[in-house]
Amino acid sequence: MNRRHDFYLWRADRENCCKDKKKIEQIFSYTSFHYITSGYGYFNGVRLGAGQFFCAEKNHYVCYYPDPEEPWSYIYFDFFEEDPNNTVLLRQLVGEPHWGSFSYMEEVQHILQLYMVYAGRKQDNPAFHRAVGDMVLALHSAGA
């Protein structure tokens, strides 16, 4: 039997970081995918740039911040999981060390636009949040 894993999109947005943006150092209580669209920054000590992603995994310490000379911009998708076994599935999806290259940046930008239009309507529809999450994860598994 093929069991469905439910990843609900909690929020999504674009962030254009300033060179003096505060360093994020924390243990996340949710999982967050970041797709870098321009510039550079550091994730757990590794310099990343446009066309790459990083994943702040639930219950794991992360440290990230923009490069002071060429600060990054990224799109992020924050997920929460109903099933604790989903953490294992996400870990398999992103692999170690939780960053890498990504091929579907234009599609991710379109998904964000769709999400923002919907979120602006102030409607709460779990099926929509699950579907958007599924699209992001499907693109990620195909393009990482």
Side-chain angles (χ1 to χ4, degrees), residues 16 39 48 53 55 58 64 74 78 81 86 92 102 122-123:
N16 300 312
L48 301 175
F53 77 93
C55 177
K58 179 180 179 177
Y64 63 94
Y74 52 72
D78 295 340
E81 306 99 47
N86 288 344
Q92 291 170 347
F102 186 72
K122 306 279 190 230
Q123 297 174 348

Side-chain angles (χ1 to χ4, degrees), residues 45-78:
V46 177
R47 188 171 195 251
L48 301 175
Q52 293 185 292
F53 77 93
F54 64 93
C55 177
E57 185 180 348
K58 179 180 179 177
N59 297 327
H60 285 76
Y61 170 83
V62 296
C63 175
Y64 63 94
Y65 55 94
D67 181 279
E69 300 301 317
E70 299 177 77
W72 58 14
S73 294
Y74 52 72
I75 292 170
Y76 65 88
F77 295 92
D78 295 340

